[in-house]
Amino acid sequence: MPLLYTIVSRGTTVLAEFSVAAGNANAVARRILEKLPVDGDARVSYTHDRHVFHILRADGLVFLCMADAPFGRRVPFAYLEDVHMRFMKTYGRVAGTALAYAMNDEFSRVLAAQMEFFSSNPNSDTISRVKNEISEVKSVMVENIDMVLDRGNRIELLVDKTATLQDNTFRFKKQARALKRALWWKNTKLMIAMSGVILIALYLFVALFCGGLFLPSCHS
């Protein structure tokens, strides 16, 4: 059986374990537990001779299994995820304060059954693959949603720019009409001034030939 040993612990306090392995798996597992960081969720694997210790740290607990090295990582971690789910569903409320081996009598049987299933049942790898595909789909969905939101932001930005352009166009037209009226009034005043200058110049020219400003020669 590729899965040989499993332990569930809170730090170095073992809550449940099951083994079909001969040798020092128990001792090696406890040395690993002593070296693991206390906080944070993580997945990590350590090689030891022809075996690999796979560790899932979640919800303040450690779920560790030993498997044959050729068995890979996907199925062991799928197994640990399954153990994590089952353990938290049953003991989640008391796991943080339970004494050593408090769950061993009941949960060791669960460990034995799930180790057998994930070691020998071909559907176990299918379950793992489906879970990975679901995770990938979720990732793609998130990426697609991000793209939609980003596109929405661009649309909103375009709408804002369009509204700003319309406002600028309205102000430009208003300013253009005001400038047109100002120029027309300026030209009108210029024409009136030029007409006055021409009339005065014409009057002075006539006065020059008529003997003075009051045109005495032209009246006689």
Side-chain angles (χ1 to χ4, degrees):
M1 186 163 70
L3 291 171
L4 303 170
Y5 175 77
T6 306
I7 192 171
V8 180
S9 73
R10 185 185 65 250
T12 57
T13 302
V14 177
L15 302 177
E17 70 177 331
F18 181 78
S19 177
V20 294
N24 62 344
N26 183 289
V28 174
R30 279 160 173 74
R31 289 183 60 188
I32 293 174
L33 293 178
E34 293 173 356
K35 301 296 183 180
L36 285 177
V38 177
D39 299 323
D41 295 352
R43 293 186 178 199
V44 64
S45 298
Y46 297 102
T47 59
H48 179 73
D49 294 335
R50 292 171 288 110
H51 302 103
V52 181
F53 287 83
H54 304 282
I55 300 156
L56 170 66
R57 196 170 63 237
D59 296 316
L61 302 175
V62 176
F63 302 87
L64 178 152
C65 72
M66 185 182 77
D68 292 336
F71 201 44
R73 299 179 76 246
R74 186 169 63 186
V75 175
F77 275 110
Y79 163 69
L80 291 177
E81 289 283 3
D82 181 79
V83 170
H84 169 231
M85 181 270 296
R86 293 174 184 273
F87 189 87
M88 294 305 296
K89 184 177 180 180
T90 306
Y91 307 108
R93 294 183 179 180
V94 298
T97 57
L99 298 176
Y101 289 97
M103 295 84 173
N104 195 61
D105 287 344
E106 294 181 355
F107 203 70
S108 61
R109 292 192 289 269
V110 176
L111 295 177
Q114 296 309 108
M115 283 174 61
E116 176 67 26
F117 174 78
F118 279 86
S119 292
S120 58
N121 195 320
N123 291 329
S124 64
D125 195 39
T126 302
I127 293 172
S128 175
R129 185 169 59 254
V130 169
K131 287 183 178 179
N132 291 334
E133 290 174 355
I134 291 173
S135 298
E136 292 175 0
V137 169
K138 288 181 179 179
S139 176
V140 171
M141 287 177 63
V142 170
E143 291 176 359
N144 290 341
I145 290 172
D146 289 341
M147 292 174 62
V148 170
L149 292 177
D150 184 58
R151 184 176 61 189
N153 291 336
R154 290 199 296 269
I155 291 173
E156 290 177 0
L157 181 62
L158 180 60
V159 170
D160 291 341
K161 288 184 177 180
T162 303
T164 301
L165 182 60
Q166 290 176 344
D167 292 340
N168 292 339
T169 302
F170 175 77
R171 285 196 295 269
F172 176 77
K173 289 182 178 179
K174 186 176 180 180
Q175 292 172 355
R177 286 195 295 268
L179 179 62
K180 184 177 181 181
R181 285 196 298 269
L183 290 175
W184 177 85
W185 179 237
K186 183 177 181 180
N187 290 335
T188 300
K189 290 191 290 184
L190 181 61
M191 291 297 295
I192 293 174
M194 290 180 64
S195 299
V197 170
I198 291 173
L199 290 174
I200 292 172
L202 181 62
Y203 178 79
L204 292 175
F205 181 76
V206 173
L208 182 65
F209 288 96
C210 292
L213 293 175
F214 298 103
L215 312 177
S217 300
C218 295
H219 289 299
S220 59

